[in-house]
Amino acid sequence: MDFSLAWQKLNQIGRDLMLALPNIVFGLVVLVGFMLLARGVRALVQRVTRSKKNNHNLSVLLSRLAYVAMLVLGVLVTVTIVLPGFTPASLVSALGVGGIAIGFAFKDIFQNFLAGILLLLTEPFKIGDQIRYKDFEGTVEDIQTRATAIKTYDGRRVIIPNAELFTNAVTVNTAYDKRRLQYDVGIGYGDDIARARELMLEAMREVEGVLSDPAPEALVMDLAESSVNIRARWWVDPPRQADVLDAQDKVLEAIKNKLSVNGIDLPFPTRQILFHDQTEASDGNRRQQREGWPAGPGDVPPARAEVVRSSSSQQGEPSA
């Protein structure tokens, strides 16, 4: 077989590579220079934008966009150096041909990217805020252009795509300085409601961390099956999860102790089950209403006591 043609091709490729080697080396140097320049531009943008207050997300957004823009510019310059025949116009034309396919392939990525930019611009929540989204709740660690990372209260990291956070409802627990907490406490039907409310308010006021303005409240909310439910409401500051749990622990302990010491009953749910034979002669006198059963009309079965006495007298009579 004649390998001369293949050898000529390899020689040509080698010569072309040697001729392009200076351009490749120079292009790599330029790319590294643009990468360092992009980092410097990012740091400069962060320093300038963070000099103002309440614009942390905007600082993150602008610094990242500046970094990506410098990298893209560096890649274009490097490709132009390595391939002298390449121009930005040829890149635009190539993207125009495959733009539709690329758009469909990276639709979710572009959607999350745009949602991330809008989240950083509108700032519905910031890094350090505590949010709840569906079954996930925790502290925002980072807001990237693709997704947002939150650290749950039990020490796990959850990555949520930005498109979901932008299009769905998100609860921001730390959006305001104060947060109201509440808990329903049941007292007995025989207890004095006014006295119980007074004791609950007194207990909440004595707890450290409970705000006096807005003042605590105790509202009757329900006449339940076994108790009168009074809702205790109080405000805390700051509204972070650790402070919320600490305040709730202290308030509930103070309310329980205060009510118990002053003789207010804290009943637990009770149920009474009546079997069918409890309405017969073996139990009770149905001429009187008892246990929720109305007195029966006309002749009724005798009371249990009468049945027992009759049975005893019959057993005690001597045989003839």
Side-chain angles (χ1 to χ4, degrees), residues 17-165:
L17 182 61
M18 293 302 296
L19 291 175
L21 186 60
N23 292 341
I24 295 175
V25 173
F26 183 63
L28 291 177
V29 172
V30 170
L31 181 60
V32 172
F34 267 98
M35 293 176 64
L36 297 176
L37 181 61
R39 293 183 179 181
V41 170
R42 179 175 60 183
L44 178 62
V45 172
Q46 288 179 348
R47 190 178 302 111
V48 172
T49 54
R50 284 182 179 178
S51 61
K52 301 179 181 180
K53 297 181 178 179
N54 301 326
N55 62 349
H56 177 73
N57 288 351
L58 181 61
S59 172
V60 172
L61 173 61
L62 294 179
S63 61
R64 288 176 179 173
L65 290 179
Y67 180 77
V68 172
M70 293 302 299
L71 285 183
V72 172
L73 180 60
V75 170
L76 291 177
V77 172
T78 301
V79 174
T80 303
I81 294 174
V82 175
L83 303 174
F86 177 83
T87 61
S90 60
L91 176 63
V92 173
S93 61
L95 291 178
V97 174
I100 298 177
I102 294 176
F104 278 107
F106 296 95
K107 179 186 67 173
D108 294 337
I109 296 178
F110 291 149
Q111 184 179 5
N112 288 321
F113 177 77
L114 293 176
I117 292 178
L118 293 174
L119 287 175
L120 291 171
L121 286 176
T122 57
E123 291 189 335
F125 52 83
K126 303 182 290 294
I127 295 177
D129 276 337
Q130 293 184 343
I131 66 173
R132 179 167 59 86
Y133 172 71
K134 293 184 178 179
D135 295 332
F136 307 112
E137 185 172 358
T139 304
V140 178
E141 285 189 318
D142 191 16
I143 305 175
Q144 302 176 356
T145 52
R146 187 196 69 84
T148 295
I150 66 172
K151 181 180 180 180
T152 61
Y153 301 135
D154 56 355
R156 296 180 292 173
R157 174 177 294 173
V158 179
I159 307 298
I160 305 175
N162 287 330
E164 294 191 18
L165 293 176

Side-chain angles (χ1 to χ4, degrees), residues 250-267:
K250 293 179 179 178
V251 166
L252 295 185
E253 180 181 1
I255 290 177
K256 193 273 179 187
N257 292 337
K258 181 74 70 172
L259 295 179
S260 298
V261 168
N262 288 273
I264 302 297
D265 186 23
L266 298 175

Side-chain angles (χ1 to χ4, degrees), residues 168-314:
N168 295 291
V170 178
T171 302
V172 184
N173 294 330
T174 54
Y176 303 103
D177 295 335
K178 303 173 184 178
R179 180 176 173 183
R180 190 187 72 191
L181 307 177
Q182 64 183 34
Y183 194 88
D184 289 352
V185 179
I187 66 172
Y189 270 93
D191 294 311
D192 187 346
I193 296 178
R195 177 59 176 163
R197 294 171 61 169
E198 180 183 350
L199 293 172
M200 292 172 62
L201 292 174
E202 181 180 335
M204 286 186 284
R205 295 191 190 102
E206 294 175 353
V207 173
E208 182 181 0
V210 174
L211 300 180
S212 57
D213 185 21
E217 298 174 302
L219 308 174
V220 178
M221 299 302 298
D222 188 20
L223 300 178
E225 295 181 356
S226 305
S227 63
V228 177
N229 292 339
I230 301 178
R231 178 164 299 172
R233 305 201 303 186
W234 68 96
W235 292 80
V236 295
D237 179 18
R240 306 192 71 80
Q241 183 70 7
D243 304 294
V244 166
L245 294 179
D246 183 61
Q248 179 168 302
D249 172 70
K250 293 179 179 178
V251 166
L252 295 185
E253 180 181 1
I255 290 177
K256 193 273 179 187
N257 292 337
K258 181 74 70 172
L259 295 179
S260 298
V261 168
N262 288 273
I264 302 297
D265 186 23
L266 298 175
F268 51 85
T270 58
R271 291 185 180 275
Q272 187 178 56
I273 301 176
L274 300 178
F275 294 97
H276 177 71
D277 60 359
Q278 284 183 299
T279 65
E280 303 300 330
S282 60
D283 181 48
N285 191 338
R286 292 182 62 192
R287 291 188 176 88
Q288 298 178 353
Q289 182 176 349
R290 56 184 307 279
E291 299 177 350
W293 291 91
D299 294 334
V300 295
R304 172 187 289 181
E306 298 177 7
V307 174
V308 172
R309 284 196 301 270
S310 175
S311 176
S312 300
S313 62
Q314 290 178 3

